[in-house]
């Protein structure tokens, strides 16, 4: 692992690191904020998964998360959204290829050799950060925005017992029935739609639910509402009688202005679960 940068931040350290990924067969970069309490021992962790076109840097710089995390003594992990490099498959569209890994393990060429983002997040990067940094593996929560909200919800529901809580900002809720999903799942996973269902938050909610609290925020003026389909997740959660806070925030769009506005709420929500 290589240290790219480390900066003092709200009494702690905001670092950026790179490493060779076996899962993705390329160099990967991630951000990690450690609060001051990490000097004295392992601290709870909140994973933040970013959306389409983002790198590790977007949320690290724009989400206004570190100050609230510092108040709660919580570390933040900002992974990248896909493998990257000149020799890695890509697409001209912004919603497929580099910057658009959708947190799945691709089985189809040309994506399969590198696009193993589910294993990268849930196994390889997890093993690395808990080995190298003072993080408490028994206290983890996860959140994300847009494609990253999709990733946070699906990973939380599939990785049973790992996360104390999950939240999402404007998540893609029903990708198997959305243009932000069907095209990408076909490319990455092939035409077997049964395989897609394991990466659809609404279908996973109906099938499994989540063994903890969930917080969802979506703006009423989100320009991508028809692609996000928040109503499908709300209906599935209601039918499952899932513990959930589901909010449509009046006047807000899909931007980081929206994310940063409600970041305090989300970190406080996760702190309550992590310190319970």
């Amino acid at each position: 692992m290589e240290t790219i940068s480390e900066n003092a931040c709200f009494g702690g350290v905001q670092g950026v690191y790179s490493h060779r990924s076996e899962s993705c067969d390329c160099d990967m970069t991630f951000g990690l904020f450690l609060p001051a309490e990490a000097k004295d021992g392992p601290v709870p962790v909140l994973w933040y998964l970013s959306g389409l076109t983002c790198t590790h840097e977007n949320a690290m710089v724009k989400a206004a998360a570190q100050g609230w995390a510092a108040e709660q003594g919580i570390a933040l992990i900002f992974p990248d959204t896909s493998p990257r490099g000149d020799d890695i498959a890509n697409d001209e569209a912004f919603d497929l290829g580099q910057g658009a890994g959708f947190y799945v393990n691709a089985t189809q060429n040309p994506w399969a050799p590198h696009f193993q983002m589910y294993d990268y997040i849930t196994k390889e990067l997890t093993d690395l950060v808990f080995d190298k940094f003072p993080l408490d593996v028994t206290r983890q929560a996860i959140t994300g925005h847009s494609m990253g909200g999709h990733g946070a919800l699906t990973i939380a529901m599939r990785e049973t017992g790992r996360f104390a809580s999950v939240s999402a900002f404007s998540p893609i809720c029903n990708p198997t029935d959305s243009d932000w999903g069907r095209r990408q799942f076909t490319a990455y996973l092939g035409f077997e739609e049964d395989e897609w269902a394991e990466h659809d938050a609404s279908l996973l909610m109906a099938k499994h639910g989540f063994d903890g609290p969930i917080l969802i925020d979506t703006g009423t003026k989100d320009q991508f509402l028809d692609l996000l389909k928040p109503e499908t997740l709300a209906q599935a959660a209601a039918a499952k009688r899932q513990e959930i806070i589901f909010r449509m925030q009046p006047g807000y769009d899909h931007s980081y202005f929206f994310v940063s506005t409600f970041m305090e709420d989300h970190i406080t929500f996760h702190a309550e679960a992590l310190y319970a």
Side-chain angles (χ1 to χ4, degrees):
M1 189 182 73
E2 176 185 353
T3 299
I4 295 175
S5 63
E6 289 183 332
N7 297 93
C9 183
F10 291 99
V13 176
Q14 175 62 65
V16 177
Y17 309 93
S18 69
H19 69 107
R20 183 68 185 179
S21 167
E22 292 185 5
S23 301
C24 298
D25 193 22
C26 67
D27 291 338
M28 296 290 287
T29 302
F30 66 94
L32 172 68
F33 170 73
L34 287 174
E37 288 84 349
K39 297 173 185 176
D40 301 319
V43 294
V45 178
L46 177 60
W47 293 79
Y48 184 102
L49 305 185
S50 289
L52 290 167
T53 75
C54 290
T55 69
H56 69 282
E57 188 176 33
N58 295 71
M60 192 179 79
V61 173
K62 297 180 180 180
Q66 290 91 335
W68 304 119
E71 285 194 9
Q72 301 289 352
I74 294 173
L76 299 168
I77 301 173
F78 303 100
D80 203 346
T81 57
S82 78
R84 298 179 189 274
D86 293 340
D87 59 344
I88 292 172
N90 201 7
D91 190 271
E92 292 182 357
F94 76 93
D95 56 359
L96 181 68
Q98 295 185 37
F102 268 79
Y103 304 100
V104 303
N105 289 336
T107 59
Q108 307 298 304
N109 288 325
W111 313 104
H114 300 285
F115 282 71
Q116 302 296 311
M117 287 302 295
Y118 188 91
D119 280 354
Y120 174 70
I121 297 294
T122 63
K123 297 176 182 178
E124 185 176 15
L125 184 57
T126 294
D127 290 345
L128 177 67
V129 295
F130 284 101
D131 179 59
K132 298 292 186 182
F133 300 98
L135 306 173
D136 186 349
V137 70
T138 68
R139 292 188 290 171
Q140 298 183 62
I142 190 167
T143 188
H145 173 226
S146 192
M147 179 186 71
H150 138 78
L153 289 165
T154 56
I155 288 171
M157 283 187 274
R158 292 183 62 183
E159 299 293 310
T160 305
R162 174 172 169 178
F163 298 100
S165 51
V166 59
S167 74
F169 302 87
S170 50
I172 302 171
C173 296
N174 189 203
T176 62
D177 193 33
S178 169
D179 287 343
W180 273 358
R182 293 190 63 84
R183 175 171 180 261
Q184 294 81 4
F185 287 179
T186 300
Y188 294 143
L189 303 175
F191 292 97
E192 294 296 327
E193 295 195 17
D194 287 348
E195 299 292 327
W196 303 1
E198 291 301 305
H199 300 282
D200 186 303
S202 296
L203 298 180
L204 287 171
M205 177 62 69
K207 184 177 180 182
H208 299 299
F210 176 68
D211 56 349
I214 300 175
L215 171 61
I216 306 292
D217 276 316
T218 303
T220 61
K221 291 190 176 180
D222 192 306
Q223 56 271 47
F224 304 114
L225 270 179
D226 289 343
L227 295 168
L228 303 177
K229 296 183 176 288
E231 67 280 359
T232 62
L233 182 63
Q235 291 162 4
K240 196 70 175 177
R241 300 183 180 179
Q242 169 72 46
E243 179 184 359
I244 189 169
I245 302 169
F246 183 91
R247 308 190 300 194
M248 296 297 299
Q249 299 290 1
Y252 285 90
D253 60 15
H254 199 74
S255 70
Y256 268 101
F257 297 112
F258 159 65
V259 173
S260 61
T261 297
F262 296 101
M263 182 56 70
E264 179 185 9
D265 288 359
H266 283 244
I267 290 180
T268 300
F269 167 81
H270 289 296
E272 291 174 356
L274 290 166
Y275 287 107

